[in-house]
Amino acid sequence: MADQLLTDDVTDTTALRRSPLAHLAQQMHERTVPGERGVALREVPYLTMVGLRVVPGTAAAESVTAAAGVPLPGGHGQVTGSPDGTAVLWQGPDEFLLVGPEGAGPAEIGSAGSDLREAAADDAGTAAGLARALGSEPGQAVDLSANRTTLELSGPSARAVLEKGCPIDLHPRAFGPGTAVATTLGPVQVLLWQTAEQVYRLLPRASFADYTARWLLDAMTEYAAPEVP
């Protein structure tokens, strides 16, 4: 099968990819809890991720935001853009993570006529286009798409599941949609991003994805039974 795929088109190996959590897809589906105490877990694989290092307010930052078509977030925990399209997550005073759809390239990220549209239509091309937009200005754009995978936890009990192992305050008064921070879940470092009222995305390193998913599945178990009065 693999030989046939490579023979048909040696430049297209996407059919041979296997996401970090493909082996748990069925289990995550089967462990979905419906109803008022509902919670569901799924992987959102192969998102485009580009690490950006630029100082806000500089010519470099202006070039990158013009190419990406999304402004840089202004402070800790902030996110610009949309989880359904392209978003930029604040990581530090001069560090950001651009997250876009799978295979996002010139047609999906960047305004018409931007330098990014001249790049190749793949993840590395996206990073290369942003790097080109920097020109001689100080800054960095690096393809990090294979560095992490994305887990999406959703439902009325999603916050309660996370609160079992996440040390930050997830109450809506402190953490709401459009917020993303670096934190831990159990012993694993993750990026935690709330994308909607009952929807959270967790971005662990690919090598910790299996542990993170199994931790969440275990934490979800109690919600499949009626609440104890």
Side-chain angles (χ1 to χ4, degrees):
M1 177 65 175
D3 291 341
Q4 183 63 39
L5 287 168
L6 291 174
T7 300
D8 291 343
D9 186 353
V10 295
T11 65
D12 183 10
T13 59
T14 56
L16 303 179
R17 295 183 304 178
R18 185 173 176 84
S19 72
L21 293 172
H23 62 293
L24 290 179
Q26 184 63 28
Q27 186 174 348
M28 287 190 285
H29 175 72
E30 293 174 350
R31 299 279 286 276
T32 296
V33 179
E36 294 181 358
R37 283 163 56 82
V39 61
L41 181 67
R42 71 183 183 105
E43 183 185 21
V44 186
Y46 309 128
L47 293 180
T48 297
M49 299 187 193
V50 180
L52 302 173
R53 296 299 297 265
V54 290
V55 177
T58 63
E62 292 179 3
S63 297
V64 166
T65 56
V70 181
L72 298 177
H76 179 264
Q78 295 183 15
V79 178
T80 55
S82 165
D84 297 323
T86 301
V88 179
L89 285 60
W90 191 93
Q91 299 286 279
D94 64 349
E95 183 175 2
F96 309 88
L97 180 67
L98 182 147
V99 180
E102 174 186 356
E108 291 80 18
I109 299 179
S111 55
S114 70
D115 291 344
L116 187 57
R117 286 182 172 267
E118 299 175 4
D122 56 26
D123 295 345
T126 299
L130 288 167
R132 246 196 316 275
L134 285 168
S136 60
E137 297 293 334
Q140 188 177 62
V142 180
D143 177 32
L144 299 176
S145 302
N147 182 251
R148 301 177 185 270
T149 192
T150 302
L151 281 157
E152 187 172 87
L153 186 72
S154 61
S157 296
R159 176 162 67 96
V161 169
L162 292 173
E163 287 174 334
K164 293 184 177 187
C166 183
I168 64 174
D169 184 2
L170 296 178
H171 191 278
R173 65 173 172 258
F175 199 95
T179 305
V181 299
T183 183
T184 56
L185 186 72
V188 178
Q189 291 185 338
V190 299
L191 296 179
L192 178 62
W193 175 16
Q194 187 172 356
T195 59
E197 184 177 354
Q198 296 181 348
V199 183
Y200 298 84
R201 286 188 175 182
L202 299 95
L203 285 66
R205 306 284 184 185
S207 56
F208 290 97
D210 179 89
Y211 179 93
T212 305
R214 293 181 188 276
W215 189 100
L216 288 165
L217 288 171
D218 181 70
M220 290 165 53
T221 302
E222 72 167 276
Y223 300 99
E227 185 174 6
V228 177

